[in-house]
Amino acid sequence: MKQLLNFLTTPQATFVYGLALLMLFGAYLITGSERAKRILGTLLTVFLVAIAVVYVTPPFDIPLKDETGKPVIDPATNKEKLRHKGKIPLGIDLKGGTTFNISIQPAKDPLTGDVRPITQQDVDQAVEVLRSRVDKMGTSEPIIAPAGNNRIIVQIPGLATEDLDNVRQQLQEVARLDFRVVDPQSEEKIRAIEAKKGIIDPAWTILKFSKKDNPEEADRKLLVHRVPDITGNHIKSAAARYDLQGWHVSVEFDKEAGEKFFQLTRAMRKNIDRFAIVLDDEIISAPTTQVEGGIAGNSCIITGRYTDKTANDFASKLMNPLQNPVKIEEERSASASLGLDAIKSGQFAGLLGLGLITLVMLFYYRLSGFFGNIGLVITILVIFGSMAMLHAVLTLPGIAGIILTLGMAVDAHVLVFERLREEMAAGKSFKVAVDHAFDRAFTAIFDANVTTLISSFILFLLATGPVKGFAVALTIGVIASLFSALIVSRTLFAWAVEKFGLDRIKMMAVVQGTKINFLGYRKRALGLSLAIIVGSMGYFAYRGDRNYGIDFKGGDLIVLEANGPKPDDGHVREVCEKLGLKDVVVQSEKGATGLDYVSVRSEKETGVKVKAALFEKFPEAKFKVSQEETVGSLVGSELKKNSALALGLGMLGIFLFVTLRFEFSFAIGAIVALLHDVIITVGAFALFGRELSLVTVGAILTIGGYSINDTIVVFDRIRETIKSGRPGSLHEIMNISVNEMLGRTFLTSAATLIPTIGLFIFGGPVLRDFAFAILVGVLTGTYSSVFIAAPIVLWWSRRGGRDLRSELRRDKQAVIPA
């Protein structure tokens, strides 16, 4: 069985699946035969579900092979590395571990002192160096990848928080390495130079010993060649060895450096002359030569007072020199227990939302709701199967994206079912009503979901880490929901009509036949919105930097898990104040597993001090570090720029799409409604004392997508009503259209709010802010699509923007009622 599953999940098999699905889907679109469409729709559904089932089967492990087909050996266990097949990779925030955002610093030319620009070769070399260093730590499946022109992302799964200091130090210590000849009269000449009785030859320079590597020689200096004699990139290998004399380091040079090393050592005196091994302009070792007549053979042995650890650390430094120094700009770590808590809370919120939505669908739409629930289950199965097949990383915001997809999947079904209700009310036969419902609902579903995909695509391009995972999950979810609503549900209806003689269905009608003069309230609604927007912006400006979490303004975040009596926030804040820290934010949360968490946000490079003080002050709390984050101000400023850019590009993309699909006045109305929802949501964060973070940026961009989704559905009905030639003024037609979509707006908002409320209540400390943003956004988006978007379209067309069928042929020359 394992061999069969292994074969079915190979890249070759996946290619065949994709080709077969493409052919089936093409045939489904092309055929005009109802019978063929029914059969092809069934084959598409069964085939896609079967593929998803193959990929979400219980995971199993297979040996990992390199490019040559040989097994990859894990240096930590000396055993073959295994790859988890059929398993969705979890992000660092879920399985525990640390992500480092490392920037490559420009290096100086050793001859001229000029700063060299960073090249792609520097980035590639740095990636390989860091990969080699991380592999030697014995970690499982680390990710080291370039990010931009001068950044590298290092993700180390399963890294215990107590090992962070050592790993952080090792990563930052990797720098430019070289070998330099030491002046035989180094000490005497340095003393003369410091006494101002001598001058430095331009070919020589004075370097200090590294305090960390040589604490007993921290004050010593040596006179060495200014230009390196051998650079570190000529070292082929370096390894710690043990023999009767103790630990030493064996070094092998490439042929070019080996020849130069021989020529240099041939002129050196035994036990007198020496080399300085220099790391980032600090001497880490200065061994003397032990062989007369030169060291041949491209290799040498470095001896000293080494232990197991110091010998291995020294060998690692020799083996992994960088041409450029590196700096950790951002660091995010989470414990496995915090990830487990997030998974459990996400599962509970998702299952609760799914259960409530399916009950609402069954209760409200009866048989149609049953078909919709089948489509909903298939949507979820396809999402997880696609993520497993594509090896898409599931992150904490990704869980939120999947839960949010539940509401969006219901929206497509509701559009079809409400259209079906209208077609049946028009007196059409059930079969004709079903066909017309799916055909006429298609444009609204397509337009609404494309705008969401625009936001997701831009978010994917500009986001990093967990938020990118949210964009992936949301994109897959939107596509899966389109498939289930337009193909799965339609196929189920077709079989029910043709084979089981279904000729009528019943549905509830809570909101139907309303005749509310929404546009008559437009001035009051716009005035209220304007007041809220001005108030939101004013209070946001008043709070200033307090609006931003460490993602934006930089700083340290520590989340502590209390396994004993948890101190209250006031006592924790007192400890921080005694350390002289200002603007410290302390919050307590209870996780899904019942554990208590305390989070402390403080200035950059103060987290270690805060952690030590809390451990000492509250030993009875039995604190354990669950999460640590350090964000530099540079990263924070970049995030602000990228967030503004993402929002701007998203609005531009939506504006162009709406203009092409509808007209310019609709695009103006859509963008005004989007800005309205985003500003009020950000203002709500300020009002409730919450902080904007990396995750909430994704939520706010999603609000933009949801807002447009709801607005586009209303616009689609207005456009359709105008094209139908229905009598009445433009004011009346727009009111009728909004009223006709009121039931759908109510149900879709409820379907999106149900799982989001579950996420807010049970989503744990990390997802609560995300859920809060979505809650506010859904409520304001529902309001704006009714009271803001349509009135703006009407106002723009009457103020000279025109169209809307030339303002409905100037309101058919009629007087607009007051």
Side-chain angles (χ1 to χ4, degrees):
M1 184 63 179
K2 192 177 286 189
Q3 287 80 5
L4 176 62
L5 287 173
N6 183 29
F7 170 75
L8 292 174
T9 54
T10 57
Q12 294 84 353
T14 303
F15 174 77
V16 173
Y17 300 152
L19 191 61
L21 283 172
L22 190 62
M23 293 172 64
L24 283 172
F25 189 68
Y28 179 87
L29 293 176
I30 292 171
T31 184
S33 167
E34 291 186 8
R35 181 173 179 274
K37 221 174 189 64
R38 191 168 66 248
I39 293 172
L40 286 168
T42 305
L43 287 175
L44 263 172
T45 303
V46 171
F47 192 40
L48 195 58
V49 168
I51 296 171
V53 168
V54 166
Y55 275 95
V56 296
T57 48
F60 58 93
D61 298 329
I62 63 167
L64 191 65
K65 304 292 180 68
D66 61 16
E67 295 82 359
T68 63
K70 294 180 180 179
V72 177
I73 305 300
D74 189 337
T77 62
N78 205 31
K79 295 180 180 179
E80 289 185 8
K81 276 191 176 182
L82 301 175
R83 182 160 69 90
H84 304 296
K85 296 285 291 235
K87 183 178 180 181
I88 299 174
L90 298 180
I92 292 293
D93 52 353
L94 291 179
K95 65 181 174 184
T98 304
T99 298
F100 297 96
N101 185 341
I102 298 175
S103 67
I104 304 172
Q105 306 296 308
K108 290 184 179 180
D109 188 290
L111 286 174
T112 63
D114 296 335
V115 176
R116 292 190 299 106
I118 297 170
T119 65
Q120 185 60 45
Q121 184 179 359
D122 293 330
V123 176
D124 294 341
Q125 193 253 357
V127 168
E128 292 307 314
V129 166
L130 293 177
R131 178 175 288 114
S132 180
R133 279 302 290 270
V134 172
D135 283 344
K136 289 197 174 188
M137 296 175 190
T139 58
S140 176
E141 299 180 358
I143 297 173
I144 299 99
N149 297 326
N150 65 336
R151 294 282 178 86
I152 297 172
I153 299 295
V154 177
Q155 291 187 347
I156 307 178
L159 181 63
T161 50
E162 55 266 26
D163 295 333
L164 267 175
D165 291 339
N166 180 50
V167 173
R168 189 186 300 122
Q169 189 172 306
Q170 287 206 34
L171 286 175
Q172 291 191 104
E173 279 184 353
V174 177
R176 184 165 39 86
L177 179 91
D178 51 60
F179 289 70
R180 309 190 193 196
V181 171
V182 179
D183 190 298
Q185 298 175 317
S186 176
E187 285 80 0
E188 293 88 342
K189 289 184 178 180
I190 290 175
R191 283 196 295 269
I193 292 167
E194 290 179 342
K196 298 183 179 179
K197 295 180 180 180
I199 59 171
I200 299 179
D201 187 314
W204 298 80
T205 187
I206 297 173
L207 294 181
K208 293 181 180 180
F209 274 82
S210 164
K211 290 184 180 180
K212 177 186 178 300
D213 294 286
N214 302 275
E216 71 283 356
E217 297 184 296
D219 297 327
R220 287 191 59 199
K221 303 172 185 176
L222 291 178
L223 190 63
V224 300
H225 276 163
R226 181 178 296 278
V227 178
D229 296 285
I230 300 174
T231 55
N233 58 316
H234 288 287
I235 295 177
K236 290 179 65 177
S237 67
R241 298 282 186 264
Y242 184 81
D243 59 19
L244 294 175
Q245 276 70 47
W247 285 97
H248 63 269
V249 177
S250 175
V251 180
E252 181 181 358
F253 298 104
D254 61 20
K255 187 176 180 181
E256 178 187 344
E259 178 62 31
K260 189 170 186 179
F261 189 70
F262 172 69
Q263 296 297 334
L264 289 168
T265 56
R266 187 167 62 177
M268 288 184 168
R269 295 164 292 176
K270 183 178 180 181
N271 295 325
I272 298 176
D273 293 325
R274 53 184 170 168
F275 271 106
I277 302 174
V278 180
L279 182 69
D280 206 15
D281 291 330
E282 285 189 334
I283 300 169
I284 58 174
S285 181
T288 58
T289 55
Q290 301 291 313
V291 179
E292 294 282 3
I295 301 173
N298 297 346
S299 63
C300 68
I301 291 174
I302 302 174
T303 59
R305 295 190 297 273
Y306 294 119
T307 64
D308 177 4
K309 184 180 183 306
T310 58
N312 277 287
D313 285 350
F314 186 30
S316 184
K317 292 173 184 176
L318 292 174
M319 186 62 190
N320 299 287
L322 279 178
Q323 301 302 313
N324 299 72
V326 297
K327 179 183 178 184
I328 295 176
E329 298 284 358
E330 180 184 15
E331 177 187 318
R332 300 178 187 273
S333 66
S335 69
S337 61
L338 189 66
L340 178 63
D341 187 274
I343 292 172
K344 286 187 175 181
S345 59
Q347 285 175 340
F348 186 79
L351 290 174
L352 178 66
L354 179 62
L356 290 174
I357 286 174
T358 53
L359 287 175
V360 170
M361 291 284 283
L362 277 173
F363 183 71
Y364 195 82
Y365 287 114
R366 312 292 171 83
L367 182 61
S368 298
F370 175 72
F371 289 162
N373 286 340
I374 292 175
L376 198 59
V377 171
I378 290 176
T379 298
I380 296 169
L381 188 61
V382 169
I383 289 172
F384 285 107
S386 300
M387 293 187 75
M389 181 174 66
L390 299 172
H391 301 293
V393 177
L394 180 63
T395 62
L396 197 56
I399 292 177
I402 293 171
I403 293 173
L404 184 63
T405 300
L406 298 180
M408 300 182 73
V410 170
D411 178 53
H413 286 90
V414 168
L415 282 169
V416 173
F417 298 159
E418 289 298 316
R419 177 65 76 168
L420 178 58
R421 187 202 302 274
E422 294 172 10
E423 298 295 327
M424 289 191 298
K428 297 176 183 176
S429 69
F430 186 71
K431 184 178 181 301
V432 173
V434 168
D435 289 339
H436 285 190
F438 278 97
D439 290 341
R440 293 181 178 179
F442 173 79
T443 54
I445 294 171
F446 175 79
D447 290 338
N449 282 279
V450 166
T451 53
T452 303
L453 287 174
I454 289 172
S455 297
S456 297
F457 179 69
I458 291 170
L459 191 59
F460 176 80
L461 289 180
L462 296 178
T464 58
V467 180
K468 191 181 287 286
F470 167 76
V472 171
L474 186 61
T475 301
I476 294 173
V478 168
I479 295 171
S481 65
L482 282 172
F483 173 80
S484 67
L486 298 176
I487 295 180
V488 175
S489 295
R490 185 165 193 164
T491 302
L492 288 171
F493 270 107
W495 282 111
V497 170
E498 294 298 327
K499 296 300 179 182
F500 297 97
L502 182 66
D503 60 359
R504 68 173 65 86
I505 56 171
K506 293 182 179 180
M507 302 180 189
M508 286 187 66
V510 175
V511 182
Q512 192 176 14
T514 58
K515 296 181 180 179
I516 303 170
N517 184 13
F518 287 107
L519 268 70
Y521 299 111
R522 63 185 183 273
K523 291 183 179 179
R524 277 175 266 182
L526 289 169
L528 175 64
S529 292
L530 188 61
I532 294 174
I533 287 172
V534 171
S536 297
M537 294 176 69
Y539 190 64
F540 187 85
Y542 168 75
R543 288 191 78 215
D545 281 348
R546 288 177 294 167
N547 292 303
Y548 302 107
I550 64 168
D551 292 326
F552 285 98
K553 63 183 180 184
D556 286 3
L557 167 67
I558 295 177
V559 178
L560 301 176
E561 173 191 309
N563 294 285
K566 181 184 71 64
D568 61 48
D569 293 356
H571 291 150
V572 173
R573 196 174 289 107
E574 284 177 14
V575 172
C576 296
E577 288 173 354
K578 286 180 180 178
L579 296 173
L581 303 179
K582 298 179 180 178
D583 298 327
V584 176
V585 178
V586 180
Q587 283 183 310
S588 293
E589 300 276 1
K590 185 172 283 291
T593 55
L595 293 172
D596 290 313
Y597 294 97
V598 178
S599 65
V600 181
R601 294 175 178 84
S602 58
E603 298 172 8
K604 193 171 185 291
E605 298 180 351
T606 61
V608 174
K609 186 164 54 173
V610 170
K611 179 173 60 175
L614 293 177
F615 272 70
E616 181 182 351
K617 180 68 176 177
F618 307 109
E620 70 283 355
K622 299 178 183 178
F623 279 136
K624 180 181 176 183
V625 179
S626 288
Q627 184 178 356
E628 282 190 74
E629 295 185 6
T630 297
V631 181
S633 56
L634 177 63
V635 173
S637 63
E638 287 181 356
L639 178 59
K640 287 181 184 177
K641 291 178 184 176
N642 288 340
S643 300
L645 181 62
L647 184 60
L649 288 177
M651 291 175 60
L652 177 62
I654 290 168
F655 183 84
L656 293 174
F657 177 78
V658 176
T659 301
L660 291 172
R661 288 288 294 162
F662 292 83
E663 60 182 65
F664 190 74
S665 60
F666 282 101
I668 294 293
I671 293 301
V672 169
L674 187 154
L675 281 172
H676 168 277
D677 299 342
V678 168
I679 292 171
I680 290 179
T681 302
V682 172
F685 262 77
L687 182 64
F688 285 89
R690 295 178 178 271
E691 295 178 341
L692 296 174
S693 66
L694 185 65
V695 174
T696 54
V697 168
I700 289 169
L701 288 170
T702 305
I703 289 165
Y706 178 84
S707 170
I708 290 295
N709 184 304
D710 208 30
T711 303
I712 289 297
V713 171
V714 175
F715 283 179
D716 186 80
R717 178 53 64 96
I718 293 172
R719 177 179 60 180
E720 181 184 335
T721 307
I722 290 174
K723 286 182 178 179
S724 69
R726 193 167 182 166
S729 68
L730 187 59
H731 182 281
E732 292 169 339
I733 285 175
M734 294 181 82
N735 255 332
I736 290 169
S737 301
V738 173
N739 276 281
E740 286 178 343
M741 298 310 295
L742 197 58
R744 172 263 163 199
T745 299
F746 173 78
L747 284 168
T748 299
S749 298
T752 307
L753 285 171
I754 286 171
T756 308
I757 290 171
L759 199 64
F760 179 75
I761 297 172
F762 305 106
V766 181
L767 286 179
R768 197 155 286 146
D769 281 351
F770 180 93
F772 177 79
I774 298 296
L775 281 174
V776 176
V778 169
L779 293 173
T780 55
T782 303
Y783 167 84
S784 67
S785 63
V786 174
F787 288 101
I788 303 298
I792 290 294
V793 173
L794 181 63
W795 172 81
W796 181 266
S797 63
R798 285 186 172 163
R799 288 293 181 274
R802 288 290 180 270
D803 232 335
L804 234 65
R805 287 294 174 96
S806 293
E807 202 186 338
L808 200 60
R809 296 284 175 254
R810 297 293 292 168
D811 274 353
K812 299 175 182 176
Q813 310 304 317
V815 177
I816 299 174

